[in-house]
Amino acid sequence: HYRKSARMQAVLNLSRLLRGSERAKLMALADDDGMFDSALQELKHRKPRRRTNAIELLDQFESRKCVMALRSVMANDPIYELRLAAAFTLARFGHLPSPRDTISQMSLLTNENSRIHLALFRAVAPIYTDQLRDLVNDPEYIMIKPSIIDALGWSSDPSCLAEIASASSDIEPDIRCAALRAAGQLGHPHAAQWILPMLEDSDESVRIQAIRCAARLSLAQAIPRIEALANDSSAWVRWRADEALSALKPSRPALRA
């Protein structure tokens, strides 16, 4: 057991020094050597604690066998928390299944935890950008549309601006806020034309997101509108406005704590 543990540690240390095809070759050698077989077998153990320990161990190794086994856990383990642990390991590796499969396997249409939605969708966005875009206007996924819109900002694909801009005028404030978060993450200057009017949105949460987005994109043309928001009826909006003005106008100190 000690010798196997030492070999696994050596593989782990070496894998941290390698990238791309060289790292993949190392993982393939470890697979062929059966280095992960005992941990893979533990994923089927009847005791959840043993399965959890196996997931935590495999979290360090991106081999083909490990990825396939973790996908099986994500799809089939009876305990949601273990499926979630496998999903986040796969997300870190960039090996989550397609958005539709991820939604189905993780019950994202019925799970109310929006933080889980955001984390998983952001992880799949660079890999499955087109598939996420297909979900934007699919009525089956309307309940998680804010998370889908938000994730498009993490795609690094400026062509997603069309869907993001369309979402900026949605009737639901959560979707408008998601569009602003996505625009801030994507960082494309063309978004300024629809971000600026959102500084005057009727919803407080949208105004706050618009302020943060304008500051993140360093939109100097937003300064007059944000200065007006420094006198907004909402204390939270006033605070965010002062914070943004301090960033956009460095010589200007924040007015309020």
Side-chain angles (χ1 to χ4, degrees), residues 3-216:
R3 291 180 60 189
K4 179 167 281 191
S5 297
R7 285 160 55 207
M8 290 183 73
Q9 187 61 49
V11 168
L12 178 61
N13 292 340
L14 185 56
S15 71
R16 290 169 175 164
L17 302 175
L18 301 175
R19 295 290 183 272
S21 62
E22 293 302 316
R23 192 173 190 278
K25 287 179 183 177
L26 176 65
M27 291 295 110
L29 288 172
D31 267 348
D32 292 342
D33 187 55
M35 189 172 293
F36 310 121
D37 287 356
S38 60
L40 296 175
Q41 194 62 36
E42 285 286 285
L43 290 175
K44 302 175 184 177
H45 200 281
R46 64 182 180 82
K47 292 184 177 180
R49 182 67 249 178
R50 297 276 288 271
R51 302 202 301 277
T52 299
N53 291 341
I55 292 171
E56 291 174 353
L57 176 62
L58 297 177
D59 179 71
Q60 305 172 86
F61 301 99
E62 188 186 351
S63 81
R64 184 183 64 83
K65 285 185 178 179
C66 292
V67 168
M68 290 176 62
L70 289 168
R71 280 195 169 190
S72 179
V73 172
M74 177 180 167
N76 302 309
D77 198 281
I79 298 179
Y80 181 80
E81 288 73 14
L82 295 188
R83 300 206 311 274
L84 187 61
F88 277 114
T89 294
L90 290 167
R92 192 169 62 80
F93 290 157
H95 288 299
L96 277 170
S98 70
R100 291 179 189 273
D101 285 343
T102 295
I103 291 168
S104 174
Q105 292 172 19
M106 299 311 300
S107 305
L108 296 185
L109 290 176
T110 55
N111 189 309
E112 297 296 328
N113 193 328
S114 61
R115 291 182 181 273
I116 293 175
H117 294 172
L118 289 177
L120 293 178
F121 282 127
R122 287 173 178 180
V124 302
I127 308 166
Y128 298 111
T129 304
D130 288 342
Q131 292 189 39
L132 272 181
R133 294 174 74 175
D134 289 341
L135 300 184
V136 168
N137 295 312
D138 189 326
E140 182 180 354
Y141 300 100
I142 187 64
M143 296 299 295
I144 55 174
K145 186 173 180 177
S147 297
I148 296 171
I149 293 295
D150 172 283
L152 291 177
W154 295 73
S155 67
S156 301
D157 185 349
S159 69
C160 291
L161 272 177
E163 287 83 5
I164 297 171
S166 177
S168 72
S169 59
D170 195 276
I171 191 172
E172 295 294 336
D174 285 352
I175 295 177
R176 300 201 298 277
C177 284
L180 288 162
R181 290 195 303 272
Q185 178 65 28
L186 204 55
H188 200 289
H190 286 176
Q193 58 187 320
W194 53 263
I195 292 171
L196 295 178
M198 296 181 78
L199 290 164
E200 300 171 6
D201 195 278
S202 60
D203 188 274
E204 172 185 333
S205 63
V206 177
R207 296 199 300 279
I208 289 172
Q209 283 296 334
I211 292 168
R212 297 179 68 180
C213 184
R216 186 169 186 179

